[in-house]
Amino acid sequence: MKKVIVRLKTNSITDAELFYCKELELFEFYQDYGMETISLMAKENSSFILLLTTGTLTDTDEYLFELEVNSCTATFDKLRQKEFETKGRLLSTAVFEYPLGKSIAIKDPSNNKFLLFETFNP
């Protein structure tokens, strides 16, 4: 399967890795490229990779990526109970349900916003 690589700027590689791998538990460390750049692989989809590098962040209110999960409700319930060590946080106060599925919004320690989603199977 072909890889999808999403490039994200971050204030701290250490905080980003802690957030995505330990706090969210959705990614695992993949590779260290040096020069403050690492990649993380999605646990449930090895073709999805985050390439994290330190640098100047763009101030945007847009969601930078979306990642499908098996259950938005279970993920939301787990994250709602978690005390984040980093400045990352759950933005959603409830699971958003729409005709084709569900989603929850999250912000990482560097203020990058993204969605976790679940699609309904007809």
Side-chain angles (χ1 to χ4, degrees):
M1 177 172 275
K2 303 289 184 186
K3 303 255 187 254
V4 174
I5 298 174
V6 175
R7 297 174 181 268
L8 290 180
K9 298 284 186 178
T10 181
N11 293 325
S12 165
I13 293 294
T14 302
D15 284 351
E17 183 178 1
L18 175 65
F19 177 74
Y20 287 104
C21 296
K22 302 288 187 224
E23 293 180 343
L24 293 182
E25 300 176 22
L26 294 173
F27 289 86
E28 57 191 16
F29 179 82
Y30 183 59
Q31 192 164 2
D32 185 342
Y33 299 94
M35 299 181 296
E36 298 187 41
T37 302
I38 65 169
S39 59
L40 308 176
M41 181 182 294
K43 287 182 176 181
E44 294 181 6
N45 182 350
S46 63
S47 66
F48 189 92
I49 294 174
L50 289 180
L51 183 66
L52 304 171
T53 187
T54 56
T56 304
L57 306 173
T58 57
D59 188 21
T60 180
D61 204 33
E62 299 292 321
Y63 296 106
L64 298 179
F65 68 91
E66 298 180 25
L67 179 65
E68 187 172 18
V69 295
N70 290 328
S71 171
C72 267
T73 302
T75 302
F76 177 79
D77 290 343
K78 180 176 80 173
L79 295 177
R80 189 173 50 169
Q81 303 300 322
K82 196 169 275 267
E83 290 188 35
F84 293 100
E85 295 176 40
T86 64
K87 293 180 182 177
R89 64 189 178 278
L90 187 60
L91 294 175
S92 299
T93 56
V95 175
F96 177 72
E97 195 165 333
Y98 52 97
L100 298 177
K102 300 177 181 181
S103 68
I104 55 177
I106 298 175
K107 189 178 274 193
D108 78 6
S110 296
N111 291 322
N112 295 311
K113 288 173 45 177
F114 62 96
L115 290 175
L116 300 179
F117 73 96
E118 168 189 354
T119 56
F120 292 143
N121 294 324

